[in-house]
Amino acid sequence: MYLPSPDRYSVMPYRRTGRSGLLLPALSLGLWHNFGGDRTPETQGAILRRAFDLGITHFDLANNYGPPPGSAEETLGRALATDFAGLRDELVISTKAGYHMWEGPYGEWGSRKYLRSSLDQSLKRLGVEYVDIFYSHRPDPDTPLEETMGALDSAVRQGKALYVGLSNYSAAQTRQAAEILKDLGTPLLIHQPRYSMLDRRIEADGLPDVLDELGVGSIAYSPLEQGILTDRYLDGIPAGSRAAGASPFLSADAVTPQLVEWLRALDALAKERGQSLAQLALAWVLRGGRLTSAVVGASSVAQLENSVEAARNLDFTEDELSRIEELLRDAKAA
């Protein structure tokens, strides 16, 4: 029988989500990879339990996480019924809908039909009456934004979600969506963009400024760039890595000699700070307290523990930040 660590809330810093009353851990556990049918239940359960013991109270999902789609929600659902039985009120569970989930014209995008059906299916897989955060996973170019936001609003009014969020929306789309939700009486809680040292498109788009202005929280996904910003690629592409396989999220072409050289220089800076490369990358995303949280994945307990160590040092000197920018400019120029 699993007994949570009595010290679980002394390890992780928590941050307020925008202007809401909800606090999220600086690091959240994402179930995008590693929690589908291709992994052992024993390893999955060990990671979930260790995450909670380390103060990670937020588990981030989407309807199509797996593989196969839906299986990550089923994995967490089993844990909620066993290891985490009686602990629902200490957990924040989020899920999303927007990408392809089932066949036919109603199995993806942003219609009320799809979002409402998807949420009902997610609740069944999770075995819960509500999720804490329900996201529109991506904007739909063919569905009126009023319809998509109306579906999020109705999820809250029906008691099937406590808060709503957006993912992969531009700054302009986010501003418009937030205005619609405000008029409906369900404020936008959070935005989940892709963000890392290597992917700063949201900065160019002005999304962080819009979120600050609107009082909306933010949680970055892929802060380690699918594993690139770890020590795994310091000597090129190892066998068994994501880049060495057929992953649609990371190709071997992305791991260039110039990138490896930059990673090594960045790793040296991380060691000066007493951190691993992954810890440095996570700390950089969370620097200054502007982002609410960062979503990390884990294929093992050891990998999870390494990521959580980043929370012990989230501060940077101006010299360190300047060196990181200089290294990135050199890598792009090479």
Side-chain angles (χ1 to χ4, degrees), residues 1-2 4 78-88 91:
M1 178 180 177
Y2 168 61
R78 288 190 291 271
L80 292 172
T82 54
D83 290 332
F84 298 120
L87 295 171
R88 176 66 181 92
L91 297 171

Side-chain angles (χ1 to χ4, degrees), residues 69-328:
S71 58
E73 291 179 328
E74 292 172 345
T75 296
L76 183 58
R78 288 190 291 271
L80 292 172
T82 54
D83 290 332
F84 298 120
L87 295 171
R88 176 66 181 92
D89 292 339
E90 295 187 46
L91 297 171
V92 174
I93 300 170
S94 62
T95 196
K96 314 176 193 73
Y99 285 93
H100 184 266
M101 185 58 188
W102 63 84
E103 295 305 314
Y106 317 119
E108 64 179 323
W109 293 108
S111 70
R112 179 182 294 269
K113 169 73 172 175
Y114 168 63
L115 294 177
R116 293 278 296 274
S117 297
S118 179
L119 179 55
D120 286 343
Q121 292 179 24
S122 291
L123 295 177
K124 289 179 181 178
R125 286 189 289 266
L126 289 164
V128 297
E129 295 180 353
Y130 70 94
V131 292
D132 296 275
I133 308 171
F134 182 45
Y135 287 88
S136 170
H137 207 167
R138 61 173 171 172
D140 184 343
D142 299 317
T143 297
L145 193 57
E146 289 81 2
E147 178 177 339
T148 301
M149 295 306 105
L152 297 184
D153 171 68
S154 66
V156 172
R157 295 186 182 280
Q158 289 186 327
K160 296 178 179 180
L162 300 185
Y163 304 94
V164 299
L166 306 175
S167 185
N168 299 307
Y169 280 60
S170 70
Q173 291 167 332
T174 299
R175 184 185 296 279
Q176 185 181 359
E179 291 174 355
I180 295 170
L181 286 168
K182 182 179 179 181
D183 289 341
L184 290 170
T186 298
L188 176 61
L189 174 79
I190 196 167
H191 190 294
Q192 186 173 137
R194 180 166 181 153
Y195 183 54
S196 73
M197 281 192 285
L198 290 174
D199 190 340
R200 306 193 193 181
R201 286 173 290 182
I202 65 168
E203 293 178 357
D205 183 47
L207 179 63
D209 294 332
V210 169
L211 298 180
D212 287 346
E213 177 190 338
L214 297 174
V216 173
S218 54
I219 177 169
Y221 75 87
S222 292
L224 298 179
E225 280 298 309
Q226 299 295 313
I228 287 180
L229 291 170
T230 70
D231 60 6
R232 195 160 201 190
Y233 297 97
L234 294 178
D235 295 313
I237 302 175
S241 66
R242 191 167 293 168
S247 171
F249 305 108
L250 179 61
S251 68
D253 294 341
V255 187
T256 64
Q258 294 83 4
L259 176 64
V260 171
E261 182 179 353
W262 178 74
L263 291 174
R264 289 173 178 169
L266 202 61
D267 183 59
L269 174 56
K271 286 184 169 60
E272 292 177 22
R273 288 170 48 86
Q275 292 182 315
S276 68
L277 176 55
Q279 290 164 0
L280 171 70
L282 291 171
W284 184 90
V285 165
L286 293 166
R287 72 197 185 284
R290 196 174 191 186
L291 267 70
T292 312
S293 184
V295 178
V296 296
S299 59
S300 67
V301 168
Q303 191 178 76
L304 174 71
E305 291 173 340
N306 181 273
S307 294
V308 171
E309 280 294 311
R312 296 186 183 274
N313 183 11
L314 301 178
D315 297 323
F316 288 83
T317 67
E318 289 299 324
D319 178 64
E320 287 173 333
L321 291 173
S322 296
R323 288 172 64 187
I324 290 172
E325 294 303 312
E326 183 178 352
L327 288 171
L328 184 58

